């Protein structure tokens, strides 16, 4: 396998880094390739003979364009495959922009009856824009989270989306053996790293460039996954409009640490998110309200127990690194807020949470 010659960025591609083949490596797992709205990411894990998991390869290839075409994705994937000598089986994900989620509460029933019940529900209320005959779906279920009944979380997507993703990888002699919902991959990373206890109620906010997703974990089970309106790009747009900057200047400002951002914001406070003006503050207020409303819907409508509360919010995604965002949400929601950092990748190239979740799926299996 090809090893990197440098730890520095080379053009737009961070050279895929590999651990040299050693006698103590007992197994390599399928590489995870995540295609997001802002970058393509690669993460492959290996297992030592002492049952320690390490990154065998990882790479990060950001897109230069804000709106990414299929041709750009194909070119970036080709470069990623060539630079990292990839072949054979891989795993990947679909974003919330490509799929829809549903939470069903059923009476307790045998496992063999769950899928027919899900199909009946999907036929009664098919996903928006997808005919039932063109539907692919999967689900997870748990009877232990509810005192009465069964909680079923369903992921639905068009068959064309699955076929197109598989075709894309086949163009480069890669066999797609697993295609996971990206929000669920994020949760798998958190569970695998023991960041969520089995008996706690916690919210996970994945805030990316073009999309944000909140997941409600109740008694260790993902009961609700919802898309939110505020994302990294909406924050950048607000900064650009308020400070009369072009989009890239605003994006650079957004990524600055608090002290540097004060050069444009108010000089009266170190909390630059609050100091950056009413436009950005309004976006963040909307984000906190959407989080609250999502949890109220879960507690009042799904489990019908308004006494349930959450005391912790976990942030992940590229925009989760915004200076002060955790403090802002902690203040508004009155809960502990923490930013998740991958236990296997220490270098600050981007958020690899969902890629980690994809990479560990076959470890669990």
């Amino acid at each position: 396998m090809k090893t990197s010659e440098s730890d520095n960025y080379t053009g737009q591609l961070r050279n895929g880094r590999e651990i040299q083949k050693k006698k103590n490596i007992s197994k390599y797992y399928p590489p995870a390739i995540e295609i997001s709205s802002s970058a393509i990411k690669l993460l492959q894990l290996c297992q030592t003979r002492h049952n320690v998991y390490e990154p065998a390869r990882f790479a990060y290839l950001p897109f230069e364009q804000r709106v990414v075409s299929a041709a750009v994705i194909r070119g970036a994937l080709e470069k990623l495959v060539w630079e990292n000598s990839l072949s054979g089986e891989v795993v990947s994900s679909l974003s919330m922009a490509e799929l829809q989620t549903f939470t069903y509460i059923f009476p307790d029933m045998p496992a063999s009856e769950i899928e027919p019940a899900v199909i009946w529900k999907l036929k009664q209320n098919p996903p928006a824009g997808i005919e039932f005959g063109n539907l692919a779906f999967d689900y997870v279920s748990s009877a232990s989270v509810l005192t009465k009944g069964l909680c079923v979380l369903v992921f639905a997507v068009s068959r064309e989306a699955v076929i197109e993703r598989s075709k894309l990888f086949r163009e480069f002699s890669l066999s797609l053996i697993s295609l996971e919902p990206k929000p669920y991959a994020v949760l798998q990373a958190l569970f695998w790293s023991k960041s969520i206890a089995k008996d706690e109620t916690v919210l996970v906010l994945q805030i990316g460039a073009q999309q944000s997703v909140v997941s409600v974990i109740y008694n260790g089970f993902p009961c609700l996954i919802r898309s939110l309106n505020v994302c990294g790009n909406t924050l950048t747009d607000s900064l650009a409009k308020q400070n009369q900057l072009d989009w890239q200047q605003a994006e650079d400002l957004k990524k600055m640490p608090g002290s540097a951002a004060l050069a444009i914001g108010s000089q009266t406070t170190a909390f630059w998110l609050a100091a950056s003006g009413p436009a950005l503050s309004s976006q963040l207020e909307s984000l906190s309200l959407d989080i609250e409303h999502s949890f109220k819907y879960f507690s009042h409508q799904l489990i019908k127990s308004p006494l349930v509360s959450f005391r912790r919010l976990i942030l992940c995604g590229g925009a989760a690194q915004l200076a002060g965002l955790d403090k802002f949400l902690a203040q508004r929601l009155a809960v502990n807020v923490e930013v998740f950092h991958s236990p296997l990748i220490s270098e600050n190239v981007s958020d690899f949470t969902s890629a980690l979740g994809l990479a560990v799926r076959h470890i669990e299996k």
Side-chain angles (χ1 to χ4, degrees), residues 281-353:
S281 297
S282 175
Q283 293 286 346
L284 294 173
E285 291 288 356
S286 296
L287 178 63
S288 62
L289 286 173
D290 281 350
I291 294 170
E292 286 185 322
H293 291 162
S294 295
F295 187 77
K296 286 180 180 178
Y297 172 80
F298 159 76
S299 58
H300 289 259
Q301 300 297 322
L302 291 181
I303 64 171
K304 303 186 186 303
S305 178
L307 299 178
V308 173
S309 61
F310 71 100
R311 295 191 176 132
R312 194 159 65 101
L313 173 67
I314 302 175
L315 300 181
C316 57
Q321 309 298 324
L322 289 174
L325 178 60
D326 53 343
K327 297 180 179 65
F328 181 92
L329 293 175
Q331 181 184 28
R332 291 296 188 272
L333 300 173
V335 298
N336 294 325
V337 179
E338 59 192 65
V339 180
F340 176 77
H341 297 284
S342 169
L344 298 179
I345 299 177
S346 59
E347 296 165 12
N348 187 25
V349 292
S350 181
D351 181 80
F352 269 74
T353 308

Side-chain angles (χ1 to χ4, degrees), residues 49-115:
R49 299 190 186 280
H50 301 289
N51 292 325
V52 175
Y53 298 101
E54 299 177 342
R57 311 179 192 178
F58 81 88
Y60 173 67
L61 176 56
F63 300 128
E64 294 181 358
Q65 301 90 339
R66 182 179 178 183
V67 179
V68 182
S69 66
V72 170
I73 292 175
R74 185 173 287 103
L77 181 58
E78 181 179 17
K79 190 172 186 180
L80 188 77
V81 170
W82 183 82
E83 289 280 350
N84 295 279
S85 304
L86 295 178
S87 62
E89 296 180 340
V90 297
V91 297
S92 190
S93 62
L94 289 172
S95 71
M96 279 291 284
E98 300 166 289
L99 56 87
Q100 299 175 50
T101 64
F102 305 89
T103 301
Y104 300 136
I105 306 298
F106 293 136
D108 199 9
M109 61 180 65
S112 60
E113 296 180 9
I114 298 175
E115 184 168 331

Side-chain angles (χ1 to χ4, degrees), residues 242 261-262 264-278 280-281:
Q242 175 187 312
L262 288 175
I264 293 180
S266 168
Q267 297 293 327
T268 62
T269 176
F271 187 29
W272 83 268
L273 282 173
S276 57
L280 189 57
S281 297

Side-chain angles (χ1 to χ4, degrees), residues 136-151:
F137 72 94
D138 205 348
Y139 64 88
V140 290
S141 63
S142 175
S144 62
V145 299
L146 304 175
T147 54
K148 294 182 180 179
L150 182 72
C151 184

